[in-house]
Amino acid sequence: LSLFQTRSEKVKKAYLETFQDKNNGLINDGQDTSHKSQHANMFALTFGLIPEKDIENVVTYVAQKNMSCSVYGSQILLEGLFDYGGADHAIGLMAAKTERSWYNMIRYGSTITMEAWDKRYKPNLDLNHAWGGAPANIIVRKMMGVAPLTSGAQKIKIHPKIGTLEFAILKTSFITGTVELECRQTDNTFAMRINLPGGVTGDLMIPALKGEKKLYINGQPTQKQAEKGYFHLKDFAAGKTSFEVK
């Protein structure tokens, strides 16, 4: 393992030395050009190649380009935005009604995700490209933050990032059973309800940005302390539980 970690770091170092603009931290499209695209920067962001000090600048640049990438590339774009502080913008892109949006596929008359955003981008497109349905997994894995942490889904993470949405509700299934999650927020409160199947433990990250930033579990105040904007509850027991930050 250490061998591959060492090789990975060498590749990352060489990549940054070759492609990163040292003045602003953005990624150039090639070794001999200063041109920068959303594509080059979103791939580097999502695959963890951007140094921490440059992440905010890269996220800002990528977000400014909106949905410049293709339907195929949207998976990488949305993952990077959710993982590095651009959740609200990512949600806006999924809900957009522009020409380069999933709504435009409905407007076009397709009943499943298309190969391109519109026929004018690819005249011979077809109307049945399942890989064009990035929001189907992004909403579950990134926006609601629900995913298995161990094989067999014995431990499941719940790390919601719902941006400025007033509420979001999810019901999804794993081999260990059904997970339910409901998030609601106002200007002063963030509430979350979960239902974990028996025998499963949860790794919970609850946003701690509302009110006096105090956490209540099933209506009872706790002494939990937030770190980096979240209450992190590890190995949380199965069953129905309500949380509120206010």
Side-chain angles (χ1 to χ4, degrees):
L1 181 59
S2 62
L3 171 64
F4 289 105
Q5 287 175 334
T6 301
R7 289 182 177 178
S8 174
E9 288 303 316
K10 285 183 178 179
V11 171
K12 181 177 179 178
K13 183 174 183 291
Y15 177 90
L16 293 173
E17 288 176 349
T18 304
F19 299 113
Q20 189 178 41
D21 187 327
K22 303 303 184 292
N23 295 318
N24 51 34
L26 300 179
I27 302 299
N28 294 325
D29 285 353
Q31 183 173 2
D32 300 316
T33 180
S34 60
H35 186 271
K36 300 167 180 63
S37 65
Q38 181 185 61
H39 303 65
N41 283 273
M42 73 183 190
F43 273 97
L45 178 69
T46 301
F47 289 115
L49 295 172
I50 305 297
E52 187 173 354
K53 66 181 179 62
D54 299 317
I55 286 176
E56 184 176 355
N57 203 29
V58 171
V59 169
T60 299
Y61 182 81
V62 167
Q64 287 174 347
K65 298 291 186 178
N66 290 316
M67 192 62 79
S68 296
C69 64
S70 68
V71 181
Y72 190 81
S74 65
Q75 175 76 35
I76 302 300
L77 172 62
L78 295 174
E79 288 210 26
L81 288 172
F82 271 109
D83 285 348
Y84 293 101
D88 208 43
H89 186 72
I91 292 169
L93 290 176
M94 291 193 291
K97 295 185 178 181
T98 59
E99 187 176 58
R100 302 177 73 85
S101 71
W102 286 276
Y103 184 88
N104 191 57
M105 298 180 188
I106 299 172
R107 187 162 49 210
Y108 186 82
S110 180
T111 57
I112 192 173
T113 48
M114 291 161 36
E115 185 181 4
W117 294 119
D118 193 86
K119 188 175 181 179
R120 80 182 184 93
Y121 299 114
K122 193 174 190 295
N124 66 335
L125 64 78
D126 66 49
L127 308 184
N128 61 337
H129 266 60
W131 55 243
N137 77 83
I138 290 290
I139 289 172
V140 178
R141 296 171 49 246
K142 298 298 182 179
M143 191 182 89
M144 301 304 280
V146 178
L149 288 176
T150 60
S151 57
Q154 294 295 321
K155 187 171 186 178
I156 294 171
K157 74 170 185 175
I158 300 179
H159 299 178
K161 298 176 182 177
I162 66 169
T164 56
L165 293 176
E166 292 182 3
F167 70 92
I169 301 171
L170 173 73
K171 184 176 182 180
T172 191
S173 297
F174 297 94
I175 193 170
T176 44
T178 299
V179 175
E180 297 177 67
L181 170 63
E182 178 179 342
C183 299
R184 294 184 180 274
Q185 63 182 345
T186 67
D187 289 342
N188 300 310
T189 64
F190 180 90
M192 186 171 97
R193 295 180 181 177
I194 66 170
N195 187 5
L196 290 173
V200 169
T201 58
D203 186 280
L204 315 180
M205 294 282 277
I206 305 168
L209 304 174
K210 301 290 185 176
E212 297 182 7
K213 302 177 183 177
K214 292 185 178 180
L215 176 65
Y216 295 74
I217 299 179
N218 292 329
Q220 300 300 310
T222 72
Q223 300 302 313
K224 299 287 185 181
Q225 298 296 313
E227 294 183 13
K228 297 181 179 179
Y230 288 90
F231 291 103
H232 190 184
L233 308 181
K234 302 178 181 180
D235 299 316
F236 202 84
K240 295 181 179 181
T241 311
S242 64
F243 307 88
E244 188 172 19
V245 177
K246 58 183 180 179

